Amino acid sequence: VEVIEVDDEGAAAATAADVIAHARPDVLGVATGSSPAGTYGRLVERRDLAPPTVLCLLDEYVGLPPDHPRRYRREILAALGAPLGLAVVAPDVDDPDPDAAAARYDATIARLGGVDLQVLGVGRNGHIGFNEPGTPFDAPSHVVELSDATRRDNARFFGSTQEVPARAITQGIGTILRARRIVLIATGPGKADAVRAAIDGPVTPDVPVTALRGHPSVTVVADRAALGGRRPAAPREVA
Ligand code: GLP
């Protein structure tokens, strides 16, 4: 795992955008949430990406109407897809059989040639995508029941915890690990435990982000707060 320590959220956005732009991905895997928002803003400002690059969602809620503003597909379209003219590929959460839709999503990603670079945030409990603690590291894309903790964390994007959907389709950890390169963005003290675990905690399905240690090309872009105040010489390699 390569760790790039930056001062703050703005620097994390600029650094992660640089890494993505230099990688010139044909298929960019995109997380939603607050962690990558600034990065996407930079990519748009500098027009770093252009067709035929396509955007491939990491996860999506099940149960929201197609025009709901919190649908991740809509958020990514607004933040990146529409401004840069990029197509967005998403799991078909409107399929009455979401399990079948989840299984099809891995086939869709494979048909695209796989994800070249996957952008990730991390949940405070260490979840990646919506892979909650306990998810096997080889899991394919699947339907998940969201934990209460995750629904409470995401209530800030809705009116209340009750309005956060109870289910989602997520790329599985196995799917995420097939991306050729992974860039994890983490800022703020709330992520310190998850980031510490990702860098040097015991590798365990109890903390899904630790699965990244089995991947050959992971870059963590984190601000000082997310690194818990530790000050490694940046960038640095951690085994
Ligand atoms: C959410 C999303 C993840 C995201 C994570 C962190 O539940 N499903 O894709 O990376 O939690 O969110 P945030 O960046 O807003 O802290």
Side-chain angles (χ1 to χ4, degrees):
V1 176
E2 177 195 33
V3 181
I4 302 179
E5 180 187 18
V6 295
D7 285 342
D8 55 24
E9 215 176 309
T15 301
D18 281 347
V19 172
I20 295 164
H22 285 137
R24 305 174 69 84
D26 289 325
V27 178
L28 178 67
V30 282
T32 46
S34 39
S35 304
T39 301
Y40 298 157
R42 289 287 181 135
L43 292 170
V44 167
E45 251 167 57
R46 305 188 314 202
R47 307 202 67 77
D48 280 331
L49 302 170
T53 291
V54 300
L55 306 172
C56 197
L57 288 195
L58 176 63
D59 48 15
E60 177 63 285
Y61 291 116
V62 173
L64 294 178
D67 58 349
H68 194 286
R70 294 281 85 85
R71 280 276 284 249
Y72 286 168
R73 186 171 193 287
R74 280 185 58 121
E75 295 198 2
I76 288 295
L77 254 179
L80 261 185
L84 294 174
L86 310 179
V88 177
V89 178
D92 182 10
V93 289
D94 302 313
D95 189 316
D97 183 351
D99 291 308
R104 282 203 309 278
Y105 194 46
D106 278 349
T108 302
I109 293 171
R111 258 201 318 279
L112 289 170
V115 171
D116 293 305
L117 188 154
Q118 177 65 52
V119 176
L120 292 180
V122 60
R124 285 190 303 153
N125 65 0
H127 74 245
I128 49 174
F130 273 128
N131 293 282
E132 297 282 16
T135 308
F137 286 174
D138 61 355
S141 294
H142 59 285
V143 177
V144 283
E145 302 285 333
L146 300 182
S147 71
D148 290 342
T150 295
R151 291 179 76 208
R152 276 197 303 274
D153 274 353
N154 286 359
R156 66 190 193 281
F157 299 117
F158 292 80
S160 64
T161 303
Q162 289 70 34
E163 287 168 75
V164 180
R167 291 190 302 165
I169 290 178
T170 185
Q171 284 191 28
I173 296 179
T175 312
I176 292 169
L177 292 178
R178 278 197 295 278
R180 292 179 191 94
R181 181 156 189 200
I182 293 174
V183 175
L184 183 138
I185 304 164
T187 58
K191 299 296 172 70
D193 289 348
V195 169
R196 192 175 314 116
I199 297 172
D200 49 23
V203 174
T204 164
D206 294 341
V207 188
V209 72
T210 63
L212 301 184
R213 299 249 292 284
H215 189 284
S217 183
V218 176
T219 301
V220 174
V221 179
D223 69 1
R224 209 174 298 134
L227 285 165
R230 47 194 281 170
R231 302 214 51 162
R236 83 175 177 148
E237 289 288 328
V238 180

